[in-house]
Short mmCIF file of all heavy atoms in Angstrom, two decimals:
data_model
loop_
_atom_site.label_atom_id
_atom_site.label_comp_id
_atom_site.label_asym_id
_atom_site.label_seq_id
_atom_site.Cartn_x
_atom_site.Cartn_y
_atom_site.Cartn_z
N GLN A 128 44.99 62.04 119.88
CA GLN A 128 43.71 61.59 120.23
C GLN A 128 42.46 62.29 119.54
O GLN A 128 41.44 61.74 119.57
CB GLN A 128 43.53 61.58 121.64
CG GLN A 128 44.37 60.82 122.50
CD GLN A 128 44.60 61.09 124.05
OE1 GLN A 128 43.65 61.76 124.57
NE2 GLN A 128 45.29 60.31 124.73
N THR A 129 42.74 63.53 119.23
CA THR A 129 41.76 64.41 118.59
C THR A 129 41.94 64.92 117.32
O THR A 129 41.12 64.61 116.32
CB THR A 129 41.49 65.60 119.59
OG1 THR A 129 41.20 65.06 120.89
CG2 THR A 129 40.28 66.41 119.14
N LEU A 130 43.00 65.73 117.08
CA LEU A 130 43.05 66.43 115.81
C LEU A 130 43.30 65.42 114.59
O LEU A 130 42.62 65.63 113.56
CB LEU A 130 44.35 67.31 115.86
CG LEU A 130 44.39 68.41 116.85
CD1 LEU A 130 45.65 69.38 116.69
CD2 LEU A 130 43.19 69.35 116.74
N ALA A 131 44.03 64.37 114.79
CA ALA A 131 44.16 63.43 113.64
C ALA A 131 42.95 62.67 113.33
O ALA A 131 42.70 62.08 112.30
CB ALA A 131 45.32 62.46 114.05
N HIS A 132 42.00 62.75 114.27
CA HIS A 132 40.69 62.03 114.11
C HIS A 132 39.48 62.97 113.72
O HIS A 132 38.37 62.46 113.75
CB HIS A 132 40.42 61.22 115.45
CG HIS A 132 41.40 60.24 115.68
ND1 HIS A 132 41.63 59.11 115.03
CD2 HIS A 132 42.48 60.25 116.60
CE1 HIS A 132 42.62 58.37 115.41
NE2 HIS A 132 43.15 58.99 116.40
N LEU A 133 39.82 64.21 113.57
CA LEU A 133 38.76 65.14 113.16
C LEU A 133 38.23 64.62 111.80
O LEU A 133 38.95 63.82 110.91
CB LEU A 133 39.26 66.59 113.01
CG LEU A 133 39.36 67.15 114.32
CD1 LEU A 133 40.18 68.50 114.11
CD2 LEU A 133 38.23 67.46 115.19
N PRO A 134 36.97 64.83 111.43
CA PRO A 134 36.44 64.28 110.08
C PRO A 134 37.29 64.63 108.88
O PRO A 134 37.60 65.89 108.76
CB PRO A 134 35.10 64.87 110.03
CG PRO A 134 34.73 65.24 111.57
CD PRO A 134 35.96 65.56 112.17
N ASN A 135 37.68 63.73 108.22
CA ASN A 135 38.22 63.88 106.82
C ASN A 135 39.66 64.41 106.76
O ASN A 135 40.13 65.00 105.76
CB ASN A 135 37.29 64.61 105.86
CG ASN A 135 36.04 64.09 105.80
OD1 ASN A 135 35.91 62.89 105.28
ND2 ASN A 135 34.92 64.76 106.19
N VAL A 136 40.41 64.37 107.98
CA VAL A 136 41.72 64.97 108.07
C VAL A 136 42.69 63.95 107.25
O VAL A 136 42.73 62.71 107.57
CB VAL A 136 42.14 65.14 109.46
CG1 VAL A 136 43.73 65.37 109.53
CG2 VAL A 136 41.40 66.34 110.12
N ALA A 137 43.40 64.53 106.32
CA ALA A 137 44.44 63.72 105.63
C ALA A 137 45.78 63.87 106.40
O ALA A 137 46.50 62.89 106.44
CB ALA A 137 44.40 64.11 104.18
N SER A 138 46.04 65.08 106.76
CA SER A 138 47.37 65.29 107.40
C SER A 138 47.29 66.53 108.24
O SER A 138 46.38 67.52 108.13
CB SER A 138 48.44 65.50 106.42
OG SER A 138 48.39 66.71 105.68
N VAL A 139 48.16 66.60 109.33
CA VAL A 139 48.24 67.70 110.24
C VAL A 139 49.81 67.98 110.28
O VAL A 139 50.68 67.15 110.52
CB VAL A 139 47.83 67.31 111.68
CG1 VAL A 139 47.94 68.53 112.59
CG2 VAL A 139 46.39 66.81 111.67
N ASN A 140 50.11 69.23 110.09
CA ASN A 140 51.53 69.76 110.02
C ASN A 140 51.53 70.74 111.16
O ASN A 140 50.88 71.89 111.07
CB ASN A 140 51.96 70.34 108.74
CG ASN A 140 53.36 70.86 108.69
OD1 ASN A 140 53.89 71.15 109.71
ND2 ASN A 140 53.97 70.68 107.51
N SER A 141 52.31 70.62 112.26
CA SER A 141 52.36 71.45 113.43
C SER A 141 53.59 72.32 113.57
O SER A 141 54.63 71.79 113.25
CB SER A 141 52.26 70.62 114.68
OG SER A 141 51.08 69.75 114.54
N ASN A 142 53.36 73.72 113.77
CA ASN A 142 54.50 74.55 114.01
C ASN A 142 54.19 75.12 115.43
O ASN A 142 53.25 75.64 115.72
CB ASN A 142 54.50 75.71 113.04
CG ASN A 142 55.02 75.16 111.67
OD1 ASN A 142 55.88 74.43 111.49
ND2 ASN A 142 54.28 75.68 110.61
N PHE A 143 55.22 75.10 116.16
CA PHE A 143 55.19 75.72 117.58
C PHE A 143 55.74 77.14 117.53
O PHE A 143 56.78 77.38 117.19
CB PHE A 143 56.07 74.92 118.53
CG PHE A 143 55.48 73.44 118.80
CD1 PHE A 143 55.58 72.46 117.92
CD2 PHE A 143 54.64 73.27 119.96
CE1 PHE A 143 55.03 71.22 118.10
CE2 PHE A 143 54.19 72.06 120.23
CZ PHE A 143 54.32 71.06 119.33
N ALA A 144 54.88 77.96 118.16
CA ALA A 144 55.24 79.48 118.26
C ALA A 144 56.34 79.52 119.45
O ALA A 144 56.28 78.88 120.48
CB ALA A 144 54.05 80.24 118.73
N LEU A 145 57.49 80.15 119.14
CA LEU A 145 58.56 80.26 120.16
C LEU A 145 58.23 81.41 121.16
O LEU A 145 58.58 81.34 122.31
CB LEU A 145 59.90 80.37 119.40
CG LEU A 145 60.18 79.32 118.45
CD1 LEU A 145 61.48 79.71 117.77
CD2 LEU A 145 60.31 78.00 119.10
N LYS A 146 57.79 82.51 120.49
CA LYS A 146 57.70 83.80 121.42
C LYS A 146 56.59 84.53 120.74
O LYS A 146 56.54 84.78 119.53
CB LYS A 146 58.93 84.47 121.52
CG LYS A 146 58.81 85.82 122.20
CD LYS A 146 60.13 86.43 122.34
CE LYS A 146 60.53 87.28 121.20
NZ LYS A 146 61.79 88.19 121.37
N ARG A 147 55.59 85.05 121.52
CA ARG A 147 54.63 86.00 121.05
C ARG A 147 55.07 87.39 120.98
O ARG A 147 55.61 87.97 122.00
CB ARG A 147 53.37 86.02 122.01
CG ARG A 147 52.29 87.03 121.37
CD ARG A 147 51.02 86.77 121.90
NE ARG A 147 50.88 87.16 123.42
CZ ARG A 147 49.67 87.07 124.16
NH1 ARG A 147 48.77 86.56 123.72
NH2 ARG A 147 49.78 87.63 125.31
N VAL A 148 55.40 87.89 119.70
CA VAL A 148 55.96 89.22 119.47
C VAL A 148 54.83 90.34 119.52
O VAL A 148 55.09 91.30 120.01
CB VAL A 148 56.67 89.21 118.19
CG1 VAL A 148 57.35 90.53 117.87
CG2 VAL A 148 57.84 88.24 118.17
N LYS A 149 53.63 89.96 118.95
CA LYS A 149 52.64 90.95 118.96
C LYS A 149 51.35 90.27 118.98
O LYS A 149 51.20 89.19 118.39
CB LYS A 149 52.64 91.90 117.71
CG LYS A 149 51.51 92.90 117.65
CD LYS A 149 51.46 93.70 116.40
CE LYS A 149 50.32 94.58 116.32
NZ LYS A 149 50.26 95.35 115.11
#
Side-chain angles (χ1 to χ4, degrees):
Q128 296 171 5
T129 305
L130 299 181
H132 299 287
L133 290 170
N135 305 301
V136 168
S138 68
V139 180
N140 182 326
S141 305
N142 290 322
F143 289 80
L145 301 177
K146 175 175 84 171
R147 181 162 74 180
V148 175
K149 179 181 179 180

